[in-house]
Amino acid sequence: MQRLFDVVEHKAVKILTKGKARRLLAATTKVKRTFWGEVRGWADALVFAVFAVLLINQYLFQLFVIPSPSMVSTLNVTGRSPVTRSSPSTTRSTSAVARSSIS
């Protein structure tokens, strides 16, 4: 049983010291920042933001602009009203028809 504990202890020390050495090496060596690396980072963030906005607009909700004063008592003209797309069971009688602001 003692031999098993010795083997486990040896493996644990080996793994922990390897991780500690790796962290120490990463902390002492700095990555050189370049102009193109920064541009690539910003481009990556911009692509992610555009992709997220498109997914939200496509599947969750969309903003519509109220084009005419036919519903002045409840909505303002040129006001924006968000319409949810999460419930596919809406019927034409319960949904408002409006012209999309994105053409």
Side-chain angles (χ1 to χ4, degrees):
M1 194 64 158
Q2 183 63 31
R3 177 150 170 78
L4 176 65
F5 287 137
D6 290 340
V7 169
V8 170
E9 181 185 13
H10 178 65
K11 291 288 185 183
V13 167
K14 187 176 179 182
I15 290 171
L16 291 175
T17 55
K18 183 188 278 187
K20 187 176 179 181
R22 204 175 318 137
R23 284 191 303 272
L24 182 63
L25 180 66
T28 57
T29 58
K30 290 188 177 184
V31 177
K32 186 177 180 182
R33 295 172 57 180
T34 63
F35 174 75
W36 291 111
E38 293 293 319
V39 169
R40 186 172 148 218
W42 279 99
D44 183 35
L46 183 66
V47 167
F48 177 76
V50 168
F51 185 67
V53 166
L54 288 175
L55 280 178
I56 289 170
N57 194 18
Q58 183 69 29
Y59 295 110
L60 295 180
F61 68 90
Q62 185 173 358
L63 289 175
F64 287 97
V65 174
I66 309 303
S68 66
S70 64
M71 298 182 74
V72 167
S73 62
T74 57
L75 298 170
N76 294 329
V77 179
T78 68
R80 294 182 181 266
S81 64
V83 177
T84 182
R85 293 183 173 201
S86 62
S87 127
S89 64
T90 58
T91 62
R92 184 153 177 85
S93 63
T94 61
S95 61
V97 178
R99 183 174 52 104
S100 175
S101 65
I102 302 172
S103 297

